[in-house]
Amino acid sequence: QPFNRDLKIVGELAGIDTVIETCYVKGGDKVIESHKKFQKITTHTARRSFATNLYKLGVPSYDIMQITGHKAEKSFLRYIKITKNESAKRIQTIFDKT
């Protein structure tokens, strides 16, 4: 847990302080909480961001999967956070090179 605490400190120092709302149901009631973004950073956030950023840099999925331990590309592609717009730009870049 010290590593998760340290990640939050690094996030705060980096200025990742946008306020976000988290919504969940507790005891049948809808609960909305506000947090600064750095307060929600965990090792999982760092791992997922690492994989997503490598993918955006053009590193092949298979190579990233060797690091993350994903066995199936289908589950890996659900794991990373790529918007439809980012995907379209990536494809456009490929076509621009031809």
Side-chain angles (χ1 to χ4, degrees), residues 2-95:
F3 190 63
N4 277 332
R5 182 197 64 231
D6 294 344
L7 280 174
K8 289 170 179 41
I9 293 168
V10 170
E12 183 176 21
L13 291 172
I16 304 171
D17 58 2
T18 306
V19 176
I20 57 171
E21 288 188 344
T22 306
C23 180
Y24 61 93
V25 177
K26 182 177 182 179
D29 295 326
K30 184 177 179 180
V31 178
I32 299 173
E33 295 179 342
S34 295
H35 302 277
K36 290 192 176 181
K37 212 171 201 180
F38 71 83
Q39 294 172 315
K40 303 302 275 181
I41 297 173
T42 64
T43 53
H44 183 255
T45 310
R47 180 178 185 262
R48 192 173 209 164
S49 295
F50 174 76
T52 299
N53 289 328
L54 282 181
Y55 185 80
K56 287 180 179 181
L57 287 172
V59 176
S61 300
Y62 180 78
D63 295 339
I64 303 168
M65 289 167 55
Q66 296 298 306
I67 298 168
T68 63
H70 287 91
K71 303 242 186 291
E73 189 171 30
K74 184 176 181 179
S75 64
F76 171 74
L77 292 174
R78 279 195 311 261
Y79 185 74
I80 60 174
K81 292 290 187 176
I82 302 292
T83 65
K84 289 180 181 181
N85 192 32
E86 289 169 326
S87 185
K89 285 181 182 178
R90 187 176 162 98
I91 293 168
Q92 184 63 50
T93 301
I94 293 168
F95 283 113

